[in-house]
Amino acid sequence: MSEFLSMDQVFINKLTEIVKANLSDENFNVKKLAKEAGISQTTILRRLKIIKNKDITEFLREIRLQRAMELLL
């Protein structure tokens, strides 16, 4: 049985993969995320606020902190 993801989950997964692929780039920021995702910063901001109730920088920080925690463990 295949699992169907909602459009919101697909959006979050796409952003997460882009951020994870750029973890080694210290200068990776919201502008670069938007460019790689092919979506405007405003659209990303609005959708993240609706889906996760977070802004873009919180989203980026959370993924970076999760990776740091994995490395520490």
Side-chain angles (χ1 to χ4, degrees):
M1 182 161 89
S2 63
E3 191 174 320
F4 295 99
L5 298 175
S6 71
M7 292 296 288
D8 291 342
Q9 191 58 46
V10 170
F11 175 74
I12 296 298
N13 288 348
K14 178 181 178 181
L15 293 182
T16 302
E17 289 305 313
I18 291 170
V19 174
K20 285 182 176 181
N22 289 284
L23 283 174
S24 62
D25 182 1
E26 293 179 10
N27 298 316
F28 188 74
N29 56 24
V30 176
K31 187 175 182 178
K32 290 181 181 180
L33 174 61
K35 183 177 180 181
E36 285 200 33
I39 305 170
S40 72
Q41 292 179 40
T42 304
T43 302
I44 294 174
L45 174 65
R46 288 180 184 156
R47 289 191 68 186
L48 280 176
K49 199 65 166 169
I50 291 168
I51 298 168
K52 291 201 161 261
N53 196 29
K54 294 181 182 174
D55 64 28
I56 303 171
T57 55
E58 287 176 311
F59 179 75
L60 290 170
R61 193 175 327 126
E62 182 179 90
I63 294 170
R64 289 174 176 149
L65 286 172
Q66 286 173 352
R67 179 63 180 145
M69 188 169 60
E70 290 170 7
L71 291 172
L72 288 171
L73 294 175

